[in-house]
Amino acid sequence: MKRTITLQAANPVEILGAGNRILDEFCSYFPGLRVTDKGNEIYLDGPEDQVEDFERKFSKLVELRHHKPNLTVYDVEDIFSGVNKDNLMIGGNAVITHTTDGRPIRARNLNQELMVKSYFSNDLLFAVGPAGTGKTYIAIALAVRALKYREIKRIILTRPAVEAGERLGFLPGDLKDKLDPYLQPLYDALEDMIPTRKLQDFIANDVIQIAPLAYMRGRTLDRACVILDEAQNTNMGQLKMFLTRMGTSAKFIVTGDATQIDLPRREDSGLLRCIKMLEDIKGVSTINFSSADIVRHPLVTKIVKAFEDQNLF
């Protein structure tokens, strides 16, 4: 299906943005649509449902331009998410952010709700529990939301480079290539929430940084949401190093599963000891997930429960 949209604005740049930045951001939500522009006309070619959806949402963008002096890429995000910052609830079953295909991301169980609420009232949050409870996913959703609303300047994601029971041996490539296998779960969550091109720009410009834990040493992390994933594979010294990176306007989230320690000696894990040591400090909160909170395939809950019953981990 083909269609032409004619802009009524005296200067198309008011709508399309300098260098078509606004239009490019808008088009990133329609990967199956061919969009070209010339002068004050935009030409659409693609599936009928996408063409019609493009027209509907683009008309909202044009209407929004009438009520504010300039458009930004955040205005495009708001149109697709349906979220208005001033109306965003905190906690409960509120929408945290949206996936790239428009699905709302909400807390899916009581402990996830508690995690969301605790994030807004504490600067250091521990989320511990078995695999599949959504700890890391909710943490990254909160960070993406904070970046979108400019509550922070950057997101920093880190995890220890510890192999899960296997020895992968030599990995080819540069430093990034060697580390990506350890950090892939973090990329997966980000790619679910941020369009690919924008995510690449964020990473290239260090707005989103993904690095192994060892690279945190010596830094002061301010105006950032910093997430340490797989923290059960850190010792007390590493946790001290990480937690003392906190700047004056930062949020730190630490996630881990004490039943999946991959260190050579399980007793070296410092996660639970650190939580116990800090539990009475104001501004620190801990959310304890259980197998009842698992939100993956129903079999995952049964598998975790079977291992727990046998006291294998």
Side-chain angles (χ1 to χ4, degrees):
M1 179 179 185
K2 296 183 179 181
R3 190 155 303 173
T4 301
I5 298 175
T6 302
L7 301 175
Q8 302 300 323
N11 184 359
V13 175
E14 296 177 6
I15 305 295
L16 306 183
N20 276 5
R21 186 181 180 192
I22 302 298
L23 179 61
D24 288 345
E25 175 71 15
F26 203 91
C27 292
S28 69
Y29 289 88
F30 295 92
L33 203 59
R34 184 170 180 268
V35 182
T36 56
D37 69 288
K38 184 177 181 180
N40 66 336
E41 293 187 330
I42 299 174
Y43 306 100
L44 309 178
D45 186 3
E48 182 177 357
D49 59 336
Q50 289 199 36
V51 169
E52 292 178 348
D53 192 32
F54 187 103
E55 282 191 300
R56 282 194 300 269
K57 289 185 168 63
F58 197 82
S59 67
K60 294 180 181 179
L61 185 70
V62 173
E63 177 64 23
L64 184 60
R65 174 63 181 85
H66 296 324
H67 300 287
K68 59 182 301 186
N70 296 294
L71 294 174
T72 71
V73 293
Y74 295 99
D75 295 318
V76 176
E77 288 183 3
D78 285 343
I79 286 172
F80 283 88
S81 69
V83 173
N84 182 300
K85 180 182 178 183
D86 297 329
N87 294 329
L88 184 71
M89 297 182 296
I90 295 176
N93 199 34
V95 174
I96 303 171
T97 187
H98 287 73
T99 63
T100 55
D101 59 3
R103 291 181 291 108
I105 298 175
R106 294 184 172 93
R108 295 176 61 184
N109 54 50
L110 290 176
N111 273 324
Q112 285 189 5
E113 288 185 17
L114 184 58
M115 182 176 173
V116 173
K117 292 177 182 177
S118 296
Y119 168 86
F120 290 100
S121 55
N122 298 275
D123 290 334
L124 173 57
L125 176 62
F126 290 93
V128 294
T133 51
K135 307 179 299 295
T136 300
Y137 194 80
I138 291 295
I140 292 178
L142 288 166
V144 169
R145 175 203 172 277
L147 182 65
K148 174 180 178 180
Y149 294 131
R150 305 178 195 181
E151 298 165 358
I152 57 174
K153 293 174 65 176
R154 55 186 171 163
I155 296 172
I156 299 172
L157 307 176
T158 185
R159 60 180 349 200
V162 177
E163 296 166 348
E166 301 177 71
R167 293 295 173 262
L168 302 180
F170 174 78
L171 292 174
D174 59 17
L175 179 63
K176 180 179 181 300
D177 294 328
K178 295 177 190 298
L179 295 173
D180 276 354
Y182 299 101
L183 305 174
Q184 190 58 49
L186 306 179
Y187 286 111
D188 291 343
L190 287 170
E191 289 170 353
D192 203 26
M193 303 176 201
I194 302 175
T196 301
R197 182 162 47 185
K198 187 163 191 178
L199 177 58
Q200 291 171 346
D201 288 342
F202 278 156
I203 293 175
N205 295 315
D206 285 335
V207 174
I208 295 178
Q209 301 174 22
I210 306 177
L213 180 59
Y215 281 61
M216 297 297 105
R217 187 175 298 278
R219 303 181 65 182
T220 299
L221 306 176
D222 196 12
R223 291 291 307 278
C225 183
V226 187
I227 300 171
L228 170 59
D229 191 35
E230 300 288 352
Q232 76 275 4
N233 289 327
T234 58
N235 58 40
M236 287 291 282
Q238 290 173 308
L239 283 168
K240 178 185 176 183
M241 179 275 290
F242 172 75
L243 296 176
T244 53
R245 303 305 95 205
M246 184 181 290
T248 55
S249 301
K251 291 274 191 178
F252 273 42
I253 305 176
V254 179
T255 67
D257 176 4
T259 69
Q260 295 198 68
I261 298 170
D262 301 309
L263 297 172
R265 297 191 308 168
R266 294 175 57 83
E267 61 270 21
D268 287 342
S269 177
L271 178 59
L272 297 184
R273 284 184 288 158
C274 182
I275 291 173
K276 180 68 176 176
M277 185 175 65
L278 303 179
E279 63 183 354
D280 295 327
I281 297 178
K282 185 177 180 181
V284 179
S285 179
T286 300
I287 312 301
N288 290 295
F289 290 83
S290 71
S291 56
D293 297 310
I294 291 174
V295 292
R296 291 182 183 166
H297 192 287
L299 274 177
V300 176
T301 303
K302 297 177 182 179
I303 291 168
V304 170
K305 184 67 165 57
F307 274 84
E308 290 175 347
D309 291 343
Q310 295 296 320
N311 292 317
L312 293 178
F313 293 98

mmCIF file of all heavy atoms in Angstrom, residues 127-161:
data_model
loop_
_atom_site.group_PDB
_atom_site.id
_atom_site.type_symbol
_atom_site.label_atom_id
_atom_site.label_comp_id
_atom_site.label_asym_id
_atom_site.label_seq_id
_atom_site.Cartn_x
_atom_site.Cartn_y
_atom_site.Cartn_z
ATOM 1 N N ALA A 127 18.253 -7.176 44.994
ATOM 2 C CA ALA A 127 17.164 -8.056 44.570
ATOM 3 C C ALA A 127 17.760 -9.444 44.402
ATOM 4 O O ALA A 127 18.576 -9.678 43.511
ATOM 5 C CB ALA A 127 16.550 -7.574 43.264
ATOM 6 N N VAL A 128 17.387 -10.361 45.296
ATOM 7 C CA VAL A 128 17.994 -11.694 45.298
ATOM 8 C C VAL A 128 16.914 -12.761 45.196
ATOM 9 O O VAL A 128 15.811 -12.611 45.721
ATOM 10 C CB VAL A 128 18.849 -11.924 46.565
ATOM 11 C CG1 VAL A 128 20.044 -10.998 46.566
ATOM 12 C CG2 VAL A 128 18.022 -11.719 47.824
ATOM 13 N N GLY A 129 17.245 -13.838 44.493
ATOM 14 C CA GLY A 129 16.284 -14.926 44.346
ATOM 15 C C GLY A 129 16.622 -15.780 43.146
ATOM 16 O O GLY A 129 17.572 -15.508 42.403
ATOM 17 N N PRO A 130 15.842 -16.823 42.906
ATOM 18 C CA PRO A 130 16.159 -17.784 41.846
ATOM 19 C C PRO A 130 16.005 -17.216 40.449
ATOM 20 O O PRO A 130 15.413 -16.148 40.239
ATOM 21 C CB PRO A 130 15.149 -18.916 42.095
ATOM 22 C CG PRO A 130 14.018 -18.269 42.813
ATOM 23 C CD PRO A 130 14.644 -17.201 43.673
ATOM 24 N N ALA A 131 16.542 -17.934 39.481
ATOM 25 C CA ALA A 131 16.449 -17.543 38.077
ATOM 26 C C ALA A 131 14.994 -17.474 37.637
ATOM 27 O O ALA A 131 14.148 -18.242 38.097
ATOM 28 C CB ALA A 131 17.212 -18.558 37.215
ATOM 29 N N GLY A 132 14.718 -16.548 36.746
ATOM 30 C CA GLY A 132 13.384 -16.465 36.158
ATOM 31 C C GLY A 132 12.407 -15.584 36.898
ATOM 32 O O GLY A 132 11.233 -15.505 36.516
ATOM 33 N N THR A 133 12.848 -14.899 37.960
ATOM 34 C CA THR A 133 11.922 -14.055 38.723
ATOM 35 C C THR A 133 11.862 -12.629 38.188
ATOM 36 O O THR A 133 11.096 -11.815 38.700
ATOM 37 C CB THR A 133 12.326 -14.025 40.213
ATOM 38 O OG1 THR A 133 13.720 -13.692 40.318
ATOM 39 C CG2 THR A 133 12.095 -15.379 40.858
ATOM 40 N N GLY A 134 12.652 -12.311 37.160
ATOM 41 C CA GLY A 134 12.582 -10.990 36.529
ATOM 42 C C GLY A 134 13.387 -9.915 37.225
ATOM 43 O O GLY A 134 13.178 -8.724 36.966
ATOM 44 N N LYS A 135 14.323 -10.301 38.079
ATOM 45 C CA LYS A 135 15.105 -9.318 38.841
ATOM 46 C C LYS A 135 15.857 -8.360 37.909
ATOM 47 O O LYS A 135 15.724 -7.141 38.016
ATOM 48 C CB LYS A 135 16.113 -10.016 39.754
ATOM 49 C CG LYS A 135 15.546 -11.075 40.664
ATOM 50 C CD LYS A 135 16.614 -11.729 41.508
ATOM 51 C CE LYS A 135 17.690 -12.436 40.708
ATOM 52 N NZ LYS A 135 17.198 -13.599 39.943
ATOM 53 N N THR A 136 16.633 -8.937 37.018
ATOM 54 C CA THR A 136 17.461 -8.111 36.132
ATOM 55 C C THR A 136 16.596 -7.345 35.146
ATOM 56 O O THR A 136 16.853 -6.169 34.863
ATOM 57 C CB THR A 136 18.463 -8.999 35.377
ATOM 58 O OG1 THR A 136 19.299 -9.676 36.333
ATOM 59 C CG2 THR A 136 19.339 -8.167 34.460
ATOM 60 N N TYR A 137 15.566 -7.982 34.628
ATOM 61 C CA TYR A 137 14.708 -7.333 33.631
ATOM 62 C C TYR A 137 14.023 -6.104 34.217
ATOM 63 O O TYR A 137 13.993 -5.031 33.594
ATOM 64 C CB TYR A 137 13.673 -8.331 33.128
ATOM 65 C CG TYR A 137 12.958 -7.900 31.869
ATOM 66 C CD1 TYR A 137 13.565 -8.050 30.621
ATOM 67 C CD2 TYR A 137 11.696 -7.336 31.920
ATOM 68 C CE1 TYR A 137 12.914 -7.654 29.462
ATOM 69 C CE2 TYR A 137 11.037 -6.936 30.767
ATOM 70 C CZ TYR A 137 11.654 -7.100 29.534
ATOM 71 O OH TYR A 137 11.006 -6.700 28.389
ATOM 72 N N ILE A 138 13.481 -6.224 35.421
ATOM 73 C CA ILE A 138 12.824 -5.087 36.065
ATOM 74 C C ILE A 138 13.853 -4.002 36.383
ATOM 75 O O ILE A 138 13.580 -2.797 36.227
ATOM 76 C CB ILE A 138 12.086 -5.527 37.344
ATOM 77 C CG1 ILE A 138 10.881 -6.398 36.975
ATOM 78 C CG2 ILE A 138 11.622 -4.316 38.154
ATOM 79 C CD1 ILE A 138 9.795 -5.696 36.186
ATOM 80 N N ALA A 139 15.043 -4.403 36.821
ATOM 81 C CA ALA A 139 16.092 -3.421 37.118
ATOM 82 C C ALA A 139 16.440 -2.610 35.875
ATOM 83 O O ALA A 139 16.542 -1.372 35.930
ATOM 84 C CB ALA A 139 17.333 -4.135 37.655
ATOM 85 N N ILE A 140 16.595 -3.281 34.737
ATOM 86 C CA ILE A 140 16.935 -2.572 33.505
ATOM 87 C C ILE A 140 15.765 -1.712 33.036
ATOM 88 O O ILE A 140 15.956 -0.597 32.545
ATOM 89 C CB ILE A 140 17.383 -3.572 32.426
ATOM 90 C CG1 ILE A 140 18.732 -4.188 32.838
ATOM 91 C CG2 ILE A 140 17.494 -2.904 31.058
ATOM 92 C CD1 ILE A 140 19.262 -5.225 31.879
ATOM 93 N N ALA A 141 14.533 -2.197 33.207
ATOM 94 C CA ALA A 141 13.362 -1.390 32.841
ATOM 95 C C ALA A 141 13.322 -0.096 33.658
ATOM 96 O O ALA A 141 13.012 0.982 33.126
ATOM 97 C CB ALA A 141 12.081 -2.196 33.059
ATOM 98 N N LEU A 142 13.627 -0.173 34.937
ATOM 99 C CA LEU A 142 13.663 1.020 35.786
ATOM 100 C C LEU A 142 14.750 1.983 35.322
ATOM 101 O O LEU A 142 14.557 3.205 35.312
ATOM 102 C CB LEU A 142 13.892 0.624 37.243
ATOM 103 C CG LEU A 142 12.704 -0.044 37.943
ATOM 104 C CD1 LEU A 142 13.152 -0.701 39.251
ATOM 105 C CD2 LEU A 142 11.588 0.968 38.210
ATOM 106 N N ALA A 143 15.897 1.433 34.919
ATOM 107 C CA ALA A 143 16.987 2.274 34.444
ATOM 108 C C ALA A 143 16.627 2.952 33.123
ATOM 109 O O ALA A 143 16.894 4.150 32.929
ATOM 110 C CB ALA A 143 18.260 1.443 34.289
ATOM 111 N N VAL A 144 16.004 2.204 32.211
ATOM 112 C CA VAL A 144 15.596 2.776 30.923
ATOM 113 C C VAL A 144 14.570 3.878 31.131
ATOM 114 O O VAL A 144 14.625 4.938 30.505
ATOM 115 C CB VAL A 144 15.037 1.673 30.001
ATOM 116 C CG1 VAL A 144 14.363 2.275 28.760
ATOM 117 C CG2 VAL A 144 16.156 0.724 29.577
ATOM 118 N N ARG A 145 13.631 3.657 32.047
ATOM 119 C CA ARG A 145 12.648 4.686 32.368
ATOM 120 C C ARG A 145 13.320 5.945 32.895
ATOM 121 O O ARG A 145 13.002 7.068 32.485
ATOM 122 C CB ARG A 145 11.668 4.161 33.418
ATOM 123 C CG ARG A 145 10.678 5.214 33.914
ATOM 124 C CD ARG A 145 10.125 4.888 35.285
ATOM 125 N NE ARG A 145 9.348 6.007 35.782
ATOM 126 C CZ ARG A 145 9.867 7.065 36.392
ATOM 127 N NH1 ARG A 145 11.166 7.139 36.602
ATOM 128 N NH2 ARG A 145 9.088 8.053 36.793
ATOM 129 N N ALA A 146 14.283 5.782 33.809
ATOM 130 C CA ALA A 146 14.969 6.939 34.398
ATOM 131 C C ALA A 146 15.748 7.709 33.342
ATOM 132 O O ALA A 146 15.805 8.943 33.372
ATOM 133 C CB ALA A 146 15.892 6.468 35.517
ATOM 134 N N LEU A 147 16.356 6.982 32.391
ATOM 135 C CA LEU A 147 17.087 7.654 31.315
ATOM 136 C C LEU A 147 16.130 8.416 30.405
ATOM 137 O O LEU A 147 16.404 9.552 30.011
ATOM 138 C CB LEU A 147 17.873 6.616 30.509
ATOM 139 C CG LEU A 147 18.739 7.169 29.371
ATOM 140 C CD1 LEU A 147 19.860 8.045 29.920
ATOM 141 C CD2 LEU A 147 19.326 6.023 28.539
ATOM 142 N N LYS A 148 15.012 7.799 30.102
ATOM 143 C CA LYS A 148 14.023 8.438 29.230
ATOM 144 C C LYS A 148 13.544 9.758 29.805
ATOM 145 O O LYS A 148 13.399 10.750 29.087
ATOM 146 C CB LYS A 148 12.829 7.489 29.025
ATOM 147 C CG LYS A 148 11.689 8.102 28.247
ATOM 148 C CD LYS A 148 10.549 7.121 28.086
ATOM 149 C CE LYS A 148 9.386 7.769 27.345
ATOM 150 N NZ LYS A 148 8.260 6.832 27.175
ATOM 151 N N TYR A 149 13.321 9.800 31.107
ATOM 152 C CA TYR A 149 12.814 11.013 31.746
ATOM 153 C C TYR A 149 13.923 11.881 32.312
ATOM 154 O O TYR A 149 13.677 12.771 33.112
ATOM 155 C CB TYR A 149 11.803 10.634 32.825
ATOM 156 C CG TYR A 149 10.560 10.004 32.231
ATOM 157 C CD1 TYR A 149 10.047 8.813 32.733
ATOM 158 C CD2 TYR A 149 9.918 10.583 31.143
ATOM 159 C CE1 TYR A 149 8.926 8.229 32.176
ATOM 160 C CE2 TYR A 149 8.807 10.009 30.583
ATOM 161 C CZ TYR A 149 8.306 8.835 31.101
ATOM 162 O OH TYR A 149 7.198 8.258 30.542
ATOM 163 N N ARG A 150 15.147 11.611 31.896
ATOM 164 C CA ARG A 150 16.309 12.445 32.209
ATOM 165 C C ARG A 150 16.553 12.592 33.706
ATOM 166 O O ARG A 150 17.074 13.598 34.179
ATOM 167 C CB ARG A 150 16.159 13.823 31.555
ATOM 168 C CG ARG A 150 15.927 13.725 30.055
ATOM 169 C CD ARG A 150 15.720 15.055 29.406
ATOM 170 N NE ARG A 150 15.149 14.870 28.072
ATOM 171 C CZ ARG A 150 14.868 15.874 27.239
ATOM 172 N NH1 ARG A 150 15.107 17.103 27.592
ATOM 173 N NH2 ARG A 150 14.345 15.615 26.064
ATOM 174 N N GLU A 151 16.150 11.577 34.456
ATOM 175 C CA GLU A 151 16.467 11.547 35.879
ATOM 176 C C GLU A 151 17.927 11.149 36.081
ATOM 177 O O GLU A 151 18.502 11.411 37.146
ATOM 178 C CB GLU A 151 15.542 10.554 36.588
ATOM 179 C CG GLU A 151 14.075 10.930 36.502
ATOM 180 C CD GLU A 151 13.133 9.790 36.879
ATOM 181 O OE1 GLU A 151 13.622 8.686 37.168
ATOM 182 O OE2 GLU A 151 11.909 10.010 36.855
ATOM 183 N N ILE A 152 18.514 10.525 35.083
ATOM 184 C CA ILE A 152 19.920 10.144 35.095
ATOM 185 C C ILE A 152 20.524 10.506 33.741
ATOM 186 O O ILE A 152 19.796 10.779 32.781
ATOM 187 C CB ILE A 152 20.092 8.628 35.353
ATOM 188 C CG1 ILE A 152 19.323 7.812 34.295
ATOM 189 C CG2 ILE A 152 19.653 8.266 36.761
ATOM 190 C CD1 ILE A 152 19.549 6.327 34.370
ATOM 191 N N LYS A 153 21.846 10.504 33.671
ATOM 192 C CA LYS A 153 22.524 10.816 32.417
ATOM 193 C C LYS A 153 23.011 9.562 31.701
ATOM 194 O O LYS A 153 23.298 9.600 30.515
ATOM 195 C CB LYS A 153 23.711 11.749 32.681
ATOM 196 C CG LYS A 153 23.313 13.134 33.163
ATOM 197 C CD LYS A 153 24.523 13.961 33.553
ATOM 198 C CE LYS A 153 25.410 14.247 32.362
ATOM 199 N NZ LYS A 153 26.557 15.129 32.714
ATOM 200 N N ARG A 154 23.115 8.456 32.443
ATOM 201 C CA ARG A 154 23.635 7.250 31.819
ATOM 202 C C ARG A 154 23.230 6.009 32.603
ATOM 203 O O ARG A 154 22.876 6.099 33.783
ATOM 204 C CB ARG A 154 25.164 7.304 31.686
ATOM 205 C CG ARG A 154 25.867 7.564 32.994
ATOM 206 C CD ARG A 154 27.353 7.767 32.823
ATOM 207 N NE ARG A 154 27.954 8.215 34.067
ATOM 208 C CZ ARG A 154 29.250 8.162 34.332
ATOM 209 N NH1 ARG A 154 30.075 7.661 33.439
ATOM 210 N NH2 ARG A 154 29.724 8.589 35.475
ATOM 211 N N ILE A 155 23.278 4.888 31.923
ATOM 212 C CA ILE A 155 23.036 3.583 32.530
ATOM 213 C C ILE A 155 24.344 2.807 32.460
ATOM 214 O O ILE A 155 24.994 2.756 31.413
ATOM 215 C CB ILE A 155 21.942 2.812 31.772
ATOM 216 C CG1 ILE A 155 20.591 3.542 31.861
ATOM 217 C CG2 ILE A 155 21.811 1.388 32.310
ATOM 218 C CD1 ILE A 155 19.522 2.927 30.970
ATOM 219 N N ILE A 156 24.717 2.204 33.580
ATOM 220 C CA ILE A 156 25.928 1.391 33.614
ATOM 221 C C ILE A 156 25.545 -0.005 34.086
ATOM 222 O O ILE A 156 24.980 -0.175 35.171
ATOM 223 C CB ILE A 156 26.992 2.006 34.541
ATOM 224 C CG1 ILE A 156 27.377 3.398 34.033
ATOM 225 C CG2 ILE A 156 28.218 1.096 34.625
ATOM 226 C CD1 ILE A 156 28.266 4.172 34.961
ATOM 227 N N LEU A 157 25.810 -0.999 33.261
ATOM 228 C CA LEU A 157 25.474 -2.381 33.562
ATOM 229 C C LEU A 157 26.769 -3.178 33.686
ATOM 230 O O LEU A 157 27.645 -3.087 32.819
ATOM 231 C CB LEU A 157 24.610 -2.978 32.452
ATOM 232 C CG LEU A 157 23.348 -2.181 32.078
ATOM 233 C CD1 LEU A 157 22.658 -2.838 30.895
ATOM 234 C CD2 LEU A 157 22.413 -2.078 33.248
ATOM 235 N N THR A 158 26.883 -3.950 34.740
ATOM 236 C CA THR A 158 28.103 -4.708 34.944
ATOM 237 C C THR A 158 27.801 -6.055 35.572
ATOM 238 O O THR A 158 26.762 -6.233 36.214
ATOM 239 C CB THR A 158 29.088 -3.910 35.831
ATOM 240 O OG1 THR A 158 30.327 -4.605 35.933
ATOM 241 C CG2 THR A 158 28.527 -3.696 37.232
ATOM 242 N N ARG A 159 28.677 -6.999 35.358
ATOM 243 C CA ARG A 159 28.585 -8.301 35.995
ATOM 244 C C ARG A 159 29.978 -8.914 36.013
ATOM 245 O O ARG A 159 30.815 -8.583 35.182
ATOM 246 C CB ARG A 159 27.575 -9.218 35.297
ATOM 247 C CG ARG A 159 27.894 -9.501 33.881
ATOM 248 C CD ARG A 159 26.945 -10.403 33.112
ATOM 249 N NE ARG A 159 25.931 -11.114 33.832
ATOM 250 C CZ ARG A 159 25.307 -12.191 33.367
ATOM 251 N NH1 ARG A 159 25.652 -12.686 32.183
ATOM 252 N NH2 ARG A 159 24.367 -12.793 34.043
ATOM 253 N N PRO A 160 30.255 -9.779 36.977
ATOM 254 C CA PRO A 160 31.575 -10.425 37.011
ATOM 255 C C PRO A 160 31.722 -11.402 35.849
ATOM 256 O O PRO A 160 30.775 -12.083 35.473
ATOM 257 C CB PRO A 160 31.582 -11.146 38.359
ATOM 258 C CG PRO A 160 30.135 -11.370 38.677
ATOM 259 C CD PRO A 160 29.397 -10.199 38.100
ATOM 260 N N ALA A 161 32.907 -11.461 35.277
ATOM 261 C CA ALA A 161 33.171 -12.368 34.149
ATOM 262 C C ALA A 161 33.549 -13.740 34.694
ATOM 263 O O ALA A 161 34.711 -14.136 34.702
ATOM 264 C CB ALA A 161 34.275 -11.812 33.263
#
